[in-house]
Amino acid sequence: MAGGTDGTGAAEGRAAGVPLCLDDVERAAAAVLPHGVRDFVAGGSGAERTLADNRAALDRIRVVPRALRDVSGCDTGTTLLSRRVAMPLATAPIGYQKLVHPRGELAAAAAAKEAGVPFTVGTLSSFPLERVAAVGAITWFQLYWLRDRALSFDLVRRAEAAGCAAVMLTVDVPWMGRRLRDMSNGFALPDDVVAANFTTGTASEAHRASPGGSALAAHTSTAFDPSLSWSDLEELRRRTRLPLIVKGLLDPADAARAAEAGADAVVVSNHGGRQLDGAVASADVLEAVCAEVAGRCEVLLDSGVRSGTDVLKALASGASGVLVGRPLLWGLAAGGTEGARGVLGLLAEEFRDALGLAGCSGVAEARRLRVLRGASLDRTDVGEGAVWR
């Protein structure tokens, strides 16, 4: 494990210097994390083509700024799932955060609370969801569909009782993708990091290292139910009163069907490049998903977001907001609560800067910006029907 000693104050292993962008935070985290943990956080599946494509897709988007707009009162605030938030961003669900800092999810949730954004606590959280929710952030609970259906629904009931504001069902992990870095490292959890939401012994498989294998993949293949289907989503919708988010959709038709099934939001995501290597980049299908959903539910972008400008690009492409995952862990590793707070603060500063420089006084105006993508950038026929969205 890495990071500070107690998760509070200036003694939390703060990185030297002041990070000016998230790349600086990542470098600071890489310097303190054990090799296997660093690979677990940073890696993708297969040859990591989709992992790389997520960044390339966002880099291909160009925003067309508007001029002569009064941005003196630029406001980054908006609503997500009817809750007021400080910016259109929530933390992505990430398991086992105690791997990078002793206070793990507790420290990250405290940073999210201070930043005024939702924190997503995962099924594989290294602290019980009740303890994380008690930190006081707007808390979303992420659910993996388990072979033990009773346990799945019990987790949802616990989330409701703990005051969680939404349930997020992850639908793209029938089993864990082939993450070659983890397999090469024979990655397994240390004894003091557990899936704290489980009350039975299945999580112990995640601690059994084997050469050429991932103990976490072995655990998920035992615990997760690959038969998850639309009927299960519909049953979950009937069983919870909380807003329902469906994460892991890339096909616009699937997003539309999720909206019809009662989803309050969908997350366009390829799991950060950690599942099907060769899957389309999330940002490349975002506009099509938004068009197909046609306002029936909110749309969030996940996978590859690394700056406030990326948040602006997502909004201009039709999204309601974004999820941010790995950068939060980099912040935790480099500086505990303060490091995670710094990551969210950087994103807020960058987003406000991008918003104002694009001629937008608020989030609603950002959603009306035009964007250019890929081959459109080289075209000279820039008439309304040629390249404008």
Side-chain angles (χ1 to χ4, degrees):
M1 294 192 297
T5 57
D6 63 0
T8 59
E12 290 191 350
R14 190 182 310 169
V18 178
L20 301 179
C21 64
L22 294 189
D23 285 346
D24 291 343
V25 182
E26 181 175 355
R27 282 188 287 270
V32 298
L33 285 175
H35 173 74
V37 175
R38 185 170 68 245
D39 277 353
F40 170 68
V41 175
S45 62
E48 301 188 347
R49 294 183 179 89
T50 296
L51 178 67
D53 280 351
N54 282 329
R55 274 307 320 156
L58 280 161
D59 289 341
R60 283 193 295 269
I61 299 173
R62 298 291 187 272
V63 174
V64 183
R66 301 304 304 270
L68 299 172
R69 305 290 185 91
D70 180 2
V71 295
S72 58
C74 194
D75 181 10
T76 62
T78 187
T79 59
L80 292 176
L81 297 177
S82 301
R83 292 285 192 102
R84 188 70 183 172
V85 295
M87 57 179 163
L89 179 152
T91 72
I94 309 170
Y96 304 120
Q97 293 184 28
K98 196 175 177 181
L99 278 168
V100 304
H101 189 272
R103 285 179 53 80
E105 290 85 356
L106 301 179
K113 178 184 179 182
E114 183 169 328
V117 299
F119 179 80
T120 308
V121 57
T123 295
L124 299 179
S125 170
S126 43
F127 288 91
L129 68 92
E130 291 86 355
R131 284 192 64 187
V132 179
V135 171
I138 299 170
T139 305
W140 296 348
F141 172 67
Q142 176 267 339
L143 175 68
Y144 281 121
W145 199 249
L146 305 174
R147 292 178 187 270
D148 184 342
R149 301 293 179 91
L151 179 55
S152 294
F153 290 121
D154 181 60
L155 287 169
V156 173
R157 286 191 293 270
R158 286 171 56 188
E160 292 174 343
C164 290
V167 171
M168 176 187 292
L169 177 66
T170 297
V171 298
D172 59 352
V173 190
W175 52 79
M176 190 177 287
R178 287 176 55 82
R179 301 173 190 176
L180 302 187
R181 296 199 211 188
D182 292 350
M183 296 168 69
S184 176
N185 293 330
F187 187 70
L189 296 180
D191 290 342
D192 63 338
V193 179
V194 299
N197 288 316
F198 287 87
T199 56
T200 59
T202 55
S204 64
E205 291 186 58
H207 298 84
R208 299 190 193 116
S210 62
S214 163
L216 274 66
H219 169 221
T220 57
S221 68
T222 300
F224 294 0
D225 187 353
S227 73
L228 173 64
S229 67
W230 291 105
S231 62
D232 297 312
L233 174 64
E234 291 161 358
E235 183 177 4
L236 177 60
R237 174 67 288 173
R238 290 191 297 270
R239 286 200 179 210
T240 182
R241 55 180 171 76
L242 293 176
L244 177 61
I245 307 166
V246 180
K247 178 178 180 288
L249 302 177
L250 294 167
D251 191 305
D254 286 341
R257 186 166 179 181
E260 292 168 3
D264 298 280
V266 296
V267 182
V268 181
S269 173
N270 55 40
H271 217 89
R274 292 162 76 85
Q275 285 300 100
L276 174 64
D277 192 35
V280 65
S282 299
D284 277 341
V285 295
L286 177 59
E287 284 188 306
V289 168
C290 292
E292 190 71 20
V293 166
R296 287 174 288 176
C297 69
E298 295 183 22
V299 179
L300 304 172
L301 175 69
D302 173 68
S303 303
V305 174
R306 294 293 181 270
S307 71
T309 302
D310 290 340
V311 181
L312 180 74
K313 291 177 179 182
L315 296 178
S317 300
S320 302
V322 304
L323 300 185
V324 173
R326 288 180 178 95
L328 196 69
L329 291 192
W330 302 136
L332 276 179
T337 305
E338 185 176 343
R341 184 186 302 127
V343 164
L344 295 174
L346 264 176
L347 286 166
E349 182 179 350
E350 291 175 344
F351 177 55
R352 186 183 184 281
D353 183 66
L355 199 63
L357 293 179
C360 301
S361 62
V363 169
E365 292 179 14
R367 295 194 179 111
R368 294 193 289 270
L369 290 171
R370 288 165 168 161
V371 297
L372 300 177
R373 294 172 180 267
S376 297
L377 296 172
D378 299 323
R379 295 181 60 171
T380 57
D381 53 335
V382 292
E384 187 76 21
V387 300
W388 297 124
R389 185 168 60 81

